[in-house]
Amino acid sequence: MAASGRPGGAADGGREATRAGQRVAQGATGRAEAPGPGEEPQHEPHPRHGGDRIGRPREGGGGRSRPRGGEPGGTVPEQSPPHEGRSAVPDAPHAEVSRAAAGETSGAPVPAGPPPARSAHPGESGEVAAARQAGGDRLRFIGAATRRIARGIDLDEIVLGLCRATVPTFADAILVYLRDPLPVGDERPTGPVVLRLRRTDRIPEEPDTNGGRLPMLPAQPDLGPAMGGSAAELAEVQPGGPLAEVLRGVRPLFGEAQAARTALPELLGPDPRLPGGHRVILAPLRGRRRVIGAAVFLRRPDRPAFEPDDLLVAAQLATHTALGVDKAVLYGREAYIADALQRTMLPDSLPQPTGVRLASRYLPAAETARVGGDWYDAIPLPGSRVALVVGDVMGHSMTSAAIMGQLRTTAQTLAGLDLPPQEVLHHLDEQAQRLGSDRMATCMYAVYDPVAHRITIANAGHPPPVMLHRGGRAEVLRVPSGAPIGVGGVDFEAVELDAPAGATLVLYTDGLVESRIRDVWTGIEQLRERLAETARLTGPNPPPLEPMCDEVLDMLGPGDRDDDIALLAARFDGIAPSDVAYWYLDPKAQTAGQARRLARRALARWGLDELTDQLELLVSEVVTNAVRYAERPITLRLLRTDVLRCEVGDDVPQLPRLRQARPSDEGGRGLYLVNRMARRWGATRLSMGKVVWFELSMPPGVQRR
């Protein structure tokens, strides 16, 4: 059968024309008419911006009868002249329309003179073929525009995507209003509904040398004299007013409709001076639960007006934009909550345990992955020891931050039981499995003993620590990696290493050493080199901790921020053997007197005679309580640092409790005296008993160690 639009290529009856018309009614969004016999096609001047290229068929033409939809064998259209085979889109060739539908928004002019468009359906008239092509162009534009809007992650990207997709391809100018503030989820807004102009965009009044657009900022809503002048930046929606009724109706309206004519001045200002005719579309933006704004599409008076089918295009653009805004607001709120939750669960400040200095850093992830589950901690332990913990929960979400908080709390509780590092990781692994089958994390747990100058480390799938020695040598410690927490059924192994005075241990998460542009071992080697380079700058003395942490973070390049980063640095000062006094005492009635004599001799050796009376009284009370219940030898240890610390250990797990003794009680005042006279005191349960400790401030004039 001959192609439609050529002489002799008419349909074979009204039934075929009816079916074609029904198909066009389903997929096309415009009607085109070919010129009558003997008439030349009317060519309008080509637009500067292609604003009427989205499926706009030619208007005018006649001189032929149309098939009647319900009559079989209806009137066959008259024979078309050779011009009827041309495209019904008047101002742009098919290739240019396709480029515009694909998202190109350049305002440069294109050559006039559309090529012939042949119908792929034999028997179709030129009118039906043109309408089919117009509908396809419009659908391609909607698809490209919605994809561009959906690519946005945050609010500004989504609104910018709407503006760039519609100007100049669909409209000459656009104004986007959003509620201020935007409601989140099921949150019920309070107070009046206020719409704020979020962004405007338009093409220039006159073409520039580059044929490009003139971008507009929210603070500059001027649309030019041909587009109605300036627009208001704030609009309060009056309850029951015309704007509220239009927003409640959801459907886009032409600006000349009665409802829109009364609503637009309330939105744009009292004197918007908008173009007449179908050159303004007011489209409410409705999210999942409520209207969140409005978009106004405008065409200049010298351009063709919008068509009825353009209301469907505006509805699609408004729907996808509103859903994208809802998504961005929910994502932003979740990221904010997760970040706040994560920062709240991190320690506000690090403790200052004896014999070690600490510094830490935490950096959130980049915008593409805002939150994670990285954490660090330093937990004082009995015997002046300290537990150093760094962990990383897999994932970037509020769930990861919540799991991080649970694991950190569990680690603090296990550390208080004075369990070995490998046992702590074992219990953390069990806790992660109880939280869920996919709750996995890596963790490094180390215990530093300043008296023994030793450190015990256990690893659960975490990057190895780096030790910076006093002479400037940086060493990656060989610690068995183990399996991540949450795998289950895996034993963890601990190693004990020397921790000489002046050395610095650096614990970190994988965000510091691994990214899209480098693997983890390359990053670890760069970290080791950076630490060694920093140590060379200070010569024989160790580098200060705080500047050293900043130097370490400076190794990150522009593309290295894929994950959040936790960094914990510990400078080992240790406690010299001459500052430690340690005894084993049998649990006998005479032990309290023996403890007083030993404490007095130690103070005399250290030149702290001013503390003798105070120390003897408190030692006598604590040792007496230990002797009363202990069955094995008790321990007494004195530590001289910046304070004088006394520790008494026994094999009884019950912790002492401070209580107010009654006047008739013969005992129960020992801890009351300790609480009143000591600088600090406490009790810690051990695996084989407990330790009760207290601290006394150094006398004035004594040099702090």
Side-chain angles (χ1 to χ4, degrees):
M1 183 178 295
S4 174
R6 295 177 178 269
D12 60 355
R15 183 179 297 112
E16 178 64 21
T18 300
R19 287 197 296 267
Q22 292 173 349
R23 289 194 298 270
V24 172
Q26 295 174 0
T29 54
R31 178 180 299 276
E33 295 182 6
E39 296 181 359
E40 291 292 329
Q42 301 295 323
H43 293 283
E44 298 177 0
H46 190 275
R48 293 188 295 268
H49 51 82
D52 57 341
R53 297 189 311 214
I54 303 304
R56 180 171 295 106
R58 177 163 310 284
E59 299 176 1
R64 62 189 176 278
S65 59
R66 301 177 181 175
R68 299 178 181 177
E71 299 177 3
T75 306
V76 179
E78 297 179 4
Q79 185 176 8
S80 302
H83 299 293
E84 193 166 348
R86 295 182 180 270
S87 171
V89 182
D91 297 320
H94 180 71
E96 181 65 21
V97 174
S98 299
R99 288 197 297 271
E104 295 184 8
T105 56
S106 173
V110 296
R118 300 177 183 271
S119 173
H121 300 270
E124 281 188 352
S125 66
E127 175 187 357
V128 174
R132 181 185 299 278
Q133 178 178 331
D137 292 339
R138 185 172 277 113
L139 291 177
R140 282 191 292 272
F141 165 72
I142 294 175
T146 53
R147 285 193 300 270
R148 186 165 190 170
I149 295 170
R151 283 199 299 265
I153 296 178
D154 59 17
L155 191 61
D156 291 331
E157 290 180 352
I158 292 171
V159 175
L160 178 62
L162 171 65
C163 295
R164 289 293 185 256
T166 56
V167 177
T169 310
F170 179 71
D172 294 330
I174 184 175
L175 301 94
V176 182
Y177 284 83
L178 295 179
R179 294 183 67 161
D180 186 23
L182 280 166
V184 181
D186 294 327
E187 175 183 301
R188 303 300 301 176
T190 59
V193 177
V194 177
L195 300 182
R196 179 180 294 274
L197 183 61
R198 188 76 184 193
R199 187 177 181 87
T200 68
D201 205 355
R202 69 176 173 90
I203 61 172
E205 296 292 340
E206 296 297 334
D208 56 16
T209 56
N210 298 325
R213 74 177 69 243
L214 178 62
M216 303 301 296
L217 300 176
Q220 299 172 322
D222 183 24
L223 298 179
M227 295 304 300
S230 61
E233 294 191 32
L234 284 177
E236 182 175 341
V237 181
Q238 300 297 329
L243 181 57
E245 293 299 324
V246 171
L247 296 180
R248 188 179 297 112
V250 178
R251 295 180 302 173
L253 299 174
F254 284 124
E256 64 180 13
Q258 177 61 34
R261 280 205 307 268
T262 55
L264 284 171
E266 185 178 347
L267 178 65
L268 305 180
D271 187 19
R273 301 191 304 278
L274 297 174
H278 286 184
R279 292 183 174 87
V280 179
I281 293 179
L282 174 58
L285 304 178
R286 180 175 179 83
R288 293 174 177 83
R289 292 175 175 84
R290 60 184 65 87
V291 174
I292 59 174
V296 181
F297 304 93
L298 302 101
R299 285 185 182 172
R300 296 189 301 205
D302 58 335
R303 302 309 314 149
F306 289 110
E307 298 176 0
D309 291 321
D310 290 328
L311 293 177
L312 302 177
V313 177
Q316 287 290 324
L317 297 176
T319 299
H320 284 272
T321 301
L323 294 178
V325 169
D326 262 359
K327 175 192 68 176
V329 172
L330 289 172
Y331 176 77
R333 174 62 63 90
E334 179 180 345
Y336 170 79
I337 294 174
D339 183 66
L341 177 64
Q342 185 176 33
R343 291 186 177 276
T344 302
M345 291 182 177
L346 292 174
D348 294 332
S349 61
L350 292 173
Q352 299 298 325
T354 302
V356 61
R357 286 173 287 171
L358 302 172
S360 64
R361 293 289 187 275
Y362 173 77
L363 292 180
E367 290 297 320
T368 54
R370 299 184 181 181
V371 296
D374 292 13
W375 89 92
Y376 62 88
D377 214 341
I379 309 168
L381 300 178
S384 298
R385 296 170 300 150
V386 59
L388 307 173
V389 190
V390 170
D392 182 6
V393 177
M394 297 182 183
H396 299 88
S397 64
M398 190 161 55
T399 302
S400 301
I403 294 173
M404 177 270 290
Q406 292 174 301
L407 293 180
R408 178 174 178 247
T409 302
T410 304
Q412 289 178 330
T413 303
L414 295 172
L417 300 177
D418 198 29
L419 299 176
Q422 64 271 23
E423 290 295 325
V424 172
L425 294 183
H426 175 73
H427 289 292
L428 283 176
D429 179 61
E430 292 180 338
Q431 175 66 13
Q433 293 179 67
R434 284 191 291 267
L435 294 176
S437 58
D438 58 344
R439 308 308 190 206
M440 299 181 65
T442 63
C443 183
M444 182 77 67
Y445 189 92
V447 175
Y448 170 63
D449 189 343
V451 177
H453 295 271
R454 303 281 289 178
I455 184 169
T456 306
I457 307 177
N459 187 7
H462 205 75
V466 179
M467 178 82 78
L468 178 62
H469 295 274
R470 190 180 185 90
R473 180 173 63 92
E475 174 189 8
V476 180
L477 299 183
R478 296 182 178 180
V479 180
S481 60
I485 292 173
V487 173
V490 179
D491 292 332
F492 300 97
E493 182 180 353
V495 295
E496 188 174 350
L497 305 171
D498 288 330
T504 305
L505 182 69
V506 178
L507 304 176
Y508 54 91
T509 56
D510 58 355
L512 179 65
V513 296
E514 185 179 21
S515 69
R516 290 171 294 180
I517 60 177
R518 61 178 176 180
D519 61 87
V520 61
W521 288 108
T522 301
I524 292 174
E525 181 61 23
Q526 292 178 359
L527 171 62
R528 188 193 66 79
E529 293 175 355
R530 176 57 65 94
L531 289 173
E533 180 183 351
T534 303
R536 283 194 294 269
L537 298 176
T538 58
N541 299 320
L545 276 182
E546 297 293 340
M548 187 194 74
C549 291
D550 295 333
E551 288 290 332
V552 168
L553 295 180
D554 286 342
M555 65 180 279
L556 296 172
D560 291 345
R561 292 290 304 282
D562 298 330
D563 198 359
D564 48 345
I565 299 171
L567 175 67
L568 179 63
R571 174 71 45 77
F572 300 140
D573 295 331
I575 300 176
S578 58
D579 294 329
V580 181
Y582 193 85
W583 304 277
Y584 284 96
L585 305 175
D586 292 329
K588 299 185 298 184
Q590 300 83 2
T591 300
Q594 181 184 4
R596 289 194 297 269
R597 290 191 299 272
L598 295 173
R600 184 164 56 249
R601 293 172 186 173
L603 292 182
R605 186 170 67 251
W606 291 335
L608 300 176
D609 297 317
E610 298 181 31
L611 299 178
T612 300
D613 293 341
Q614 189 177 4
L615 179 63
E616 285 187 357
L617 176 59
L618 299 185
V619 165
S620 179
E621 292 295 337
V622 176
V623 170
T624 299
N625 287 338
V627 168
R628 180 177 303 174
Y629 303 104
E631 297 180 358
R632 298 178 182 178
I634 65 175
T635 60
L636 172 63
R637 185 166 74 168
L638 299 179
L639 302 173
R640 181 183 60 159
T641 57
D642 54 344
V643 296
L644 180 65
R645 183 181 177 98
C646 176
E647 299 174 351
V648 177
D650 58 58
D651 61 344
V652 181
Q654 285 78 18
L655 299 180
R657 218 168 24 92
L658 179 64
R659 63 184 181 88
Q660 187 71 33
R662 293 173 297 183
S664 58
D665 292 341
E666 296 182 0
R669 296 177 177 83
L671 287 181
Y672 179 78
L673 292 174
V674 173
N675 184 62
R676 294 299 300 268
M677 299 179 65
R679 179 174 177 265
R680 290 195 312 157
W681 77 278
T684 305
R685 183 178 285 110
L686 306 177
S687 57
M688 297 297 292
K690 68 175 182 294
V691 168
V692 180
W693 57 270
F694 62 87
E695 295 177 352
L696 298 177
S697 300
M698 289 293 184
V702 176
Q703 184 177 2
R704 300 172 66 90
R705 302 185 65 84

